Amino acid sequence: MDGSIIDYYGTNSFQGLRNNIRSGTSCAMKNAGINAISLCMENQAVSVVTGAEHSNKLFAELSCVCTPIRIKNGIISYLSLCFHHYHEVTFALPLIEHLAKDIEEKLPQKDPILQKELTYSLFDQFELTNREKEIAYGWLENKNVPEIAGIYGISQSTVRTFIKKIYAKRELIIKEHFLRNFHRFKENRLYNDIKEYISIKYPIVGIFFTLVEFYNSI
C-alpha cells in the first residue's frame, strides 16, 4: 500500500489544498513525510498530526486525524479528516470513529452472488461486453491471466487481448490503475454518505477528508 488517495472532499476554505492534491497522490511517509495518514500507516492505529508537525507546509495551519479501515482484522484502507487548527482535535476523534465504523459495516458484501451482480452493473457504465465483464471481474479478484484463461476455457493471449480492450475503454495503463478505478466506483456511495453526515453534523466546521486505497481483501 503506497497511501494513494482515491477520493477527497473539502469546502471552499480548502481551495489551496484541493489545488495541490488529486486522486493518486501518495501520502506515504517516503513520499509525503509526516502526516496523519503516513503515521497511521506506520502505526496501524488512529493518528493525529497538528500544525507545524506536518512535513508539508500546505498543512501547517491544519490539524489532521487518520484512522485505518479494517475488514476481517485486516486493514484495507485509511480515512483522514483535516480541519483548521483552531478547532479542538477532540471533536474529530468520535467523528472519525463513527465514520470508520459505518464504512466497516457497509463495505463487506456477504453475498458473493450479489457482490458480482453489483460489480457487473458498474461495468455497464463502461459499455463492457459480457466476456469483458467476466475477464474484468476475474482481474478485480486479483486472478492472474493463466487462472482466468483456465476458468473460461480460452487462451492466455485471448485474455490479454480482452484486458487491453478493457484498458482502452477506460484509458487505463496498468493493473493497479484498473483496480483503483473500479473500486472507486464501488465505494462511491460510502463517499457520499460521509459528505452528507459531515455537512449535517458539523455544518460550521470546515473539514477536508480523504479516502486512501481500498483493497478488495474481503
Side-chain angles (χ1 to χ4, degrees):
M1 213 181 245
D2 64 359
S4 294
I5 294 172
I6 61 168
D7 244 322
Y8 57 92
Y9 168 78
T11 57
N12 290 335
S13 58
F14 294 95
Q15 188 64 44
L17 193 56
R18 289 192 301 180
N19 290 341
N20 285 277
I21 71 167
R22 56 188 57 85
S23 297
T25 297
S26 174
C27 298
M29 189 75 73
K30 64 181 180 180
N31 298 314
I34 296 174
N35 60 77
I37 296 172
S38 64
L39 284 183
C40 189
M41 292 176 66
E42 295 277 329
N43 301 325
Q44 298 189 3
V46 175
S47 297
V48 178
V49 178
T50 61
E53 295 174 351
H54 291 96
S55 297
N56 192 324
K57 292 181 180 179
L58 281 172
F59 296 87
E61 296 184 355
L62 301 178
S63 294
C64 299
V65 182
C66 183
T67 186
I69 304 297
R70 291 184 170 89
I71 300 294
K72 292 186 177 180
N73 299 318
I75 295 176
I76 64 162
S77 181
Y78 298 88
L79 173 66
S80 175
L81 301 179
C82 295
F83 44 91
H84 288 289
H85 63 82
Y86 49 72
H87 294 295
E88 291 289 336
V89 173
T90 50
F91 94 88
L93 297 176
L95 170 59
I96 202 167
E97 180 181 347
H98 169 86
L99 294 174
K101 183 178 180 181
D102 192 46
I103 291 172
E104 290 167 353
E105 289 177 350
K106 291 180 178 179
L107 188 60
Q109 295 288 347
K110 297 180 180 180
D111 184 342
I113 296 177
L114 176 60
Q115 183 178 18
K116 187 172 183 177
E117 289 176 353
L118 290 173
T119 304
Y120 270 47
S121 68
L122 291 172
F123 289 158
D124 287 336
Q125 298 179 47
F126 310 112
E127 300 181 353
L128 300 189
T129 66
N130 288 335
R131 178 62 84 186
E132 286 170 349
K133 289 177 183 179
E134 292 172 344
I135 302 299
Y137 192 76
W139 208 232
L140 278 176
E141 290 188 313
N142 270 325
K143 290 182 170 61
N144 57 34
V145 170
E147 288 173 328
I148 296 173
I151 291 171
Y152 296 108
I154 56 180
S155 69
Q156 294 184 29
S157 62
T158 299
V159 173
R160 292 190 179 94
T161 298
F162 275 113
I163 291 172
K164 289 178 181 178
K165 289 181 179 179
I166 295 167
Y167 284 171
K169 288 185 177 182
R170 289 298 300 139
E171 296 181 356
L172 302 172
I173 301 174
I174 59 174
K175 183 176 181 180
E176 179 184 359
H177 290 170
F178 172 86
L179 294 172
R180 185 177 298 143
N181 200 289
F182 279 113
H183 284 315
R184 185 163 60 210
F185 279 93
K186 289 178 69 177
E187 310 315 328
N188 192 50
R189 289 192 188 91
L190 292 173
Y191 168 71
N192 289 329
D193 287 347
I194 293 171
K195 283 202 300 185
E196 182 178 2
Y197 182 84
I198 290 176
S199 63
I200 293 174
K201 191 76 173 177
Y202 301 92
I204 63 172
V205 179
I207 294 178
F208 189 93
F209 77 82
T210 55
L211 286 171
V212 178
E213 286 189 315
F214 275 94
Y215 274 71
N216 193 18
S217 61
I218 56 178

